[in-house]
Amino acid sequence: MGTLYDYFFNSGPFLKARKKIFEDVDIKANSQILFVGVGTGADLRFIMGKDISVTAIDLSPEMLGRAKNQYYSPNVTFMEMDAQNLTFSPESFDMVIANLILSVVPDPNQCFQEMIRVTRTGGRILIFDKFAPPSRELPVMKKILRPVVALMGTDIGRHFEQIIMPYEKQIRVEEDASALFNGMYRKIIVRKHQT
Ligand SMILES: C[S@@+](CC[C@H](N)C(=O)[O-])C[C@H]1O[C@@H](n2cnc3c(N)ncnc32)[C@H](O)[C@@H]1O
């Protein structure tokens, strides 16, 4: 499963998009970083060697095992955990990284709420994921494909704007740009501010 996953989502255009996202994002020394749904750990390579402390969670022991094998480091703690029910105290992390997770979890609103809760005031949430086009109905072809793609464990019909709507007073979207395939995959940076 992990090998096939890496073949599709951690090579070619995906790898290029991920690399660019991490090149462009500024991560300060001594930051506490949380990777939510770290998977096989593909993005860990981009932050290795930085003077930061990383916690990486995933629900799947198999995915975590692969991530641990490939990206073991004394700065990285791997934990089996549900992204919709994080066991961390509020305001624990300077940055939460949520790549290809909001389109996967059963309840993206609950997952996003948890990510905001554990982000420090002034901290950021970095997202690389596929969402439905903003302020538009899903195109017909995607409506047809949605249930088929869902069988593979991911949803191509979620609107990011709807996911964040309940938290608009707590956050500001600082960046929202196409990362891949004409905006199907987006890079989004959200800042948590004082309410
Ligand atoms: C599409 S993969 C993305 C992995 C990685 N973030 C990446 O960008 O390659 C989704 C990951 O989310 C994990 N996952 C699914 N549901 C989860 C949940 N409720 N809590 C935590 N992780 C979950 C899966 O095990 C899988 O590793």
Side-chain angles (χ1 to χ4, degrees):
M1 159 71 176
T3 311
L4 198 63
Y5 179 84
D6 282 332
Y7 179 77
F8 284 109
F9 296 105
N10 294 325
S11 64
F14 276 93
L15 180 59
K16 212 169 145 195
R18 288 173 188 277
K19 197 168 172 219
K20 171 104 180 72
I21 285 169
F22 281 93
E23 269 169 12
D24 291 350
V25 78
D26 160 48
I27 301 180
K28 302 221 171 343
N30 301 318
S31 292
Q32 306 273 339
I33 309 283
L34 172 66
F35 279 78
V36 179
V38 70
T40 55
D43 291 325
L44 290 174
R45 76 188 93 169
F46 302 119
I47 49 105
M48 284 302 187
K50 288 187 193 280
D51 188 12
I52 55 177
S53 166
V54 174
T55 305
I57 70 112
D58 202 285
L59 198 59
S60 155
E62 190 208 332
M63 291 296 229
L64 272 179
R66 286 183 59 87
K68 254 189 242 179
N69 282 345
Q70 287 192 79
Y71 301 105
Y72 171 80
S73 153
N75 297 350
V76 185
T77 305
F78 294 93
M79 300 172 83
E80 200 178 314
M81 197 182 294
D82 186 348
Q84 302 156 121
N85 185 20
L86 300 173
T87 59
F88 307 111
S89 306
E91 310 254 332
S92 294
F93 297 97
D94 301 294
M95 181 177 271
V96 172
I97 297 176
N99 291 348
L100 309 184
I101 182 78
L102 287 170
S103 57
V104 168
V105 285
D107 187 342
N109 292 77
Q110 177 62 30
C111 179
F112 192 67
Q113 185 182 54
E114 279 293 84
M115 295 196 299
I116 297 172
R117 184 182 66 78
V118 302
T119 302
R120 280 196 228 293
T121 300
R124 289 167 295 167
I125 303 172
L126 169 66
I127 297 164
F128 165 62
D129 213 334
K130 60 183 172 316
F131 295 103
S135 338
R136 268 213 290 136
E137 245 199 86
L138 209 55
V140 177
M141 190 44 104
K142 283 197 175 171
K143 271 190 188 161
I144 295 167
L145 284 176
R146 191 177 184 187
V148 182
V149 178
L151 295 175
M152 293 183 262
T154 190
D155 191 345
I156 56 171
R158 293 182 179 174
H159 282 92
F160 180 67
E161 296 67 25
Q162 281 172 9
I163 296 172
I164 64 169
M165 205 178 283
Y167 315 107
E168 269 174 350
K169 287 200 175 121
Q170 283 172 276
I171 57 164
R172 183 175 68 244
V173 176
E174 287 195 338
E175 190 179 335
D176 184 349
S178 171
L180 195 59
F181 303 148
N182 252 336
M184 180 178 177
Y185 285 81
R186 283 147 68 183
K187 171 197 174 188
I188 299 170
I189 297 181
V190 164
R191 175 92 58 183
K192 177 172 170 182
H193 57 70
Q194 209 97 44
T195 46

